[in-house]
Amino acid sequence: MKSPNLRQRVAAVAALCASLLLAPVSQAEESILERSFCVFDPVGANGPLFAITKTFQPVALKKGIKLDLRAYTDEKVAAEDFKAGQCDAVLLTGTRARQFNKFTGSLEAMGAVPGEEEMRLLYNTLSQPKARPFLIDGPYEVAGVFPGGAVYLHTRDRSIDSVQELQGKRIATLDFDTASVRMVRHVGASVVGSNSANFAGKFNNGSVDLAYAPAVAYSPLELYKGVQPDGGVFKYALAYMNFQVIIHRDRFPDDAGQMVRDQAISRIDEAYKIINQAEADIPDDVWMYPPQEDVAEYDKMLRKVRLSLLEDGVYDERAIKLMKAIRCRVDGSRSECAS
């Protein structure tokens, strides 16, 4: 069976994103709510994600919302406009969303979510109505969280296959993220300040030796140009990327957030189909698999960095404890579960 092409996968992602904003208001709503939604698309208004999201405007109107979609190629600008009140809702990555909610901003903590089973348990927990207090921070509410997939290290040179080999290597690093900067420095590599709009270009043109990203970015951002012909993708989850829809609470009905979360959890299987297909589309000979004994050491290293960031107040302690409980529920044999 032929696998879905890139446009089909992007359409599916767009459907998920748009549905999160379409859920809050029922068809019975008499008055039309005019609401703006900042949409991050690395390509901008001409990008596939934004283009397909536009097709949902008439659907939103039927549900009582007149959506004003605004494309952003720079996630930082999208976040700043949202903070300034120029947008009613915004779609951001979990790391960028940390400034609006420290709890959900900790869900991308290094090594905190090893895989799909743990992430499904985490999302199911956060979708429950009793979890709402954790999702509200001042004027903001995290109305929806959905997966972006495991974050993998991409290298231009397959000989870089261990932590020791990272010494002195240049890594495209999200310079606004304290956790990423500390992790890169912890392994002795060199931080090359980057953002979501330019890290792929730096990797592809050889300005850096390595970059990290989920599989869903491999084809759209053409990371294969940097990987080929001598590189690879290291199949070890450094973290688990997520996307979050954040709203100004006073601009939506009080139950809007929960309605969005209900919609998001009901479509989580669709999200994982996109993620799994993206991983399957990366050629087998591109993947690099670390020895099992190294994996245990990597887990310990990430835990050390994660706890140091917790001590420094970067992560929310409640989120870190919740994810540890989930990891130990899935695999009680982990060394951390004895403590």
Side-chain angles (χ1 to χ4, degrees), residues 150-161 203-204 209-219 222-238 278-290:
V151 175
Y152 301 117
L153 198 61
H154 293 56
T155 177
R156 295 175 59 87
D157 182 355
R158 293 181 73 90
S159 68
I160 305 174
D161 58 359
F203 177 68
N204 293 340
D209 304 302
L210 305 103
Y212 50 89
V216 292
Y218 188 80
S219 292
E222 302 181 329
L223 294 174
Y224 50 82
K225 291 183 176 180
V227 167
Q228 297 173 344
D230 303 315
V233 179
F234 204 64
K235 196 156 192 182
Y236 173 79
L238 295 172
E279 296 204 356
D281 286 348
I282 296 179
D284 291 341
D285 61 354
V286 169
W287 289 109
M288 300 166 61
Y289 298 90

Side-chain angles (χ1 to χ4, degrees), residues 265-321:
I265 197 67
S266 71
R267 303 188 68 173
I268 196 168
D269 286 343
E270 294 179 46
Y272 274 107
K273 285 182 180 178
I274 297 169
I275 293 168
N276 293 336
Q277 186 60 58
E279 296 204 356
D281 286 348
I282 296 179
D284 291 341
D285 61 354
V286 169
W287 289 109
M288 300 166 61
Y289 298 90
Q292 193 56 45
E293 57 270 23
D294 288 355
V295 169
E297 290 303 312
Y298 296 157
D299 288 346
K300 292 179 181 177
M301 178 182 67
L302 292 185
R303 180 172 183 267
K304 181 178 180 180
V305 174
R306 185 170 64 247
L307 293 179
S308 72
L309 289 162
L310 174 61
E311 291 175 1
D312 290 347
V314 175
Y315 293 144
D316 185 288
E317 184 176 11
R318 300 165 302 171
I320 296 300
K321 286 184 175 179

